Every structure is written in C-alpha cells, then in structure tokens.
Amino acid sequence: MKAAILSHGYGGQNTAYSFIARSLVAHGYFVASIQHELPTDVPIPTVGPPQVVRRPNRERRVQNILFVRQKLRKKYPRVDFGQLLLVGHSNGGDPAMLFAQEHPALVRRVVSLDNRRMPFLRARQPRVLSLRSSDQVADSGVVPSPAEQRRFGSAVVRLPAIIHNDMWDGATPTQQQEINGWITRFLAQ
C-alpha cells in the first residue's frame, strides 16, 4: 500500500482536507494528515521576507513529516513509506517542497495546492503537480517556467474558478471535484 502525507495551510486543521484524503484512500493510499501547529505555538513572523523569516516553521514541518513517517513505518510495516506522496496547501505546500528537496529518495510525488514561498524542486524525480489559485501569486522563482516544467516533467495547473482560500473542505462540491480530478490524473501518470 502506498502512503500519502497531507499538510494543512497555516492556522488550519489537519482534518480540513478530508475531500482529498477520501479520494486518496479510494485510490489505494494510506493517508496521514499532520497537525503541524497547536494553539499554544508562537505565530509565524509577519515582518521580514517570508522566505527567510518563515523558514524555521517550514523546517519544523519537515521534521514533523520525518517523525510521523518513522512512527507510522513501525506501526504499519505493510505500508510503503519509502515513496511518499506529499500533499500540502499554502504553508503546507512549502514544507512539502522543502522535504522533497532535502529527502528526494523518500518522495515519489508532490502535490502543491498554491504553495507560494518555497521553490519547486528542479528535477525529474520526485514528480510535482501544482494547482494554482486565481487570486494568489507565488514569489519570484517559486514556480518553474514553462521550459522548466517541460524539462523536469512538473505540471502547473491554473484554476480560474478557485481562490486560495477555497482549497480545503470549505470548497464547493464542484471545486472539490476539480481539485480531486487533477490529482487523480496526476497519480495515473
């Protein structure tokens, strides 16, 4: 059985992406959704360059993923935690990209729902799908150019009917279906 780890956006809850989790389970994935922040945690910085001042938050999230992966490998030895599917929204997508850069041998695919700060891995493996909202723009250098997308086999899909804050369980059924449809097509490749 394949393994997927979901990472919520900043201030979100690990249960806020159940429509994606259910779809992944239907496609044969064992799904873990990590609660990265607690109400008692210090808020992420809002002053200074986000790529710099929020890096410790992303690094903590990478450590969370490694910790959860290790614990689940022991508890569920039949699940393949060696070729992860990472799915992350916004500030959950940034650590997914960082994890893939730091531990590419552990990741088979990354699905980013509108990560904005952490540059995509510029490599053929792991494969990357990024679903981009209609209202948020990633920082310069985050999303690969069309030539880089072709070179590395990454897919960047613009969703004109979906804004950044629609990419969770609060999305309409039509929006959820569109998001899951793109993820399903990506997993079938």
Side-chain angles (χ1 to χ4, degrees):
M1 178 177 284
K2 303 167 282 192
I5 295 181
L6 275 70
S7 293
H8 61 82
Y10 182 70
Q13 298 293 315
N14 67 319
T15 57
Y17 301 86
S18 64
F19 77 99
I20 294 173
R22 283 191 305 273
S23 178
L24 293 175
V25 167
H27 286 90
Y29 281 86
F30 175 97
V31 179
S33 186
I34 300 172
Q35 181 62 46
H36 287 286
E37 286 91 30
L38 301 173
T40 55
D41 289 347
V42 175
I44 61 172
T46 57
V47 176
Q51 285 190 352
V52 175
V53 300
R54 295 182 183 174
R55 178 80 183 215
N57 173 272
R58 289 185 200 99
E59 290 171 351
R60 245 186 340 273
R61 283 175 170 232
V62 166
Q63 291 306 308
N64 290 349
I65 294 168
L66 285 169
F67 176 81
V68 167
R69 178 186 170 274
Q70 177 188 13
K71 293 296 182 183
L72 292 175
R73 279 182 69 197
K74 289 178 184 174
K75 189 169 184 174
Y76 300 100
R78 292 185 181 174
V79 177
D80 180 6
F81 288 98
Q83 292 292 300
L84 293 171
L85 165 63
L86 300 177
V87 180
H89 175 227
S90 190
N91 194 51
D94 286 328
M97 292 295 183
L98 180 58
F99 188 97
Q101 289 175 14
E102 292 181 350
H103 307 282
L106 299 179
V107 182
R108 178 163 182 174
R109 297 173 193 257
V110 178
V111 175
S112 162
L113 305 172
D114 229 16
N115 77 298
R116 297 177 51 211
R117 312 286 181 210
M118 185 57 56
F120 284 39
L121 181 66
R122 268 40 177 213
R124 292 207 64 78
Q125 289 297 323
R127 303 233 14 256
V128 176
L129 167 66
S130 182
L131 301 178
R132 311 305 303 178
S133 70
S134 62
D135 68 327
Q136 297 289 325
V137 177
D139 291 351
S140 178
V142 169
V143 178
S145 68
E148 289 175 316
Q149 291 172 45
R150 287 187 297 278
R151 180 176 173 201
F152 299 118
S154 54
V156 177
V157 178
R158 306 246 176 248
L159 304 174
I162 298 176
I163 63 171
H164 185 79
N165 289 336
D166 286 340
M167 297 177 135
W168 66 292
D169 283 351
T172 67
T174 300
Q175 292 168 325
Q176 290 179 10
Q177 184 176 9
E178 183 175 7
I179 290 168
N180 276 336
W182 283 109
I183 294 171
T184 298
R185 283 188 285 280
F186 176 65
L187 296 177
Q189 298 175 349

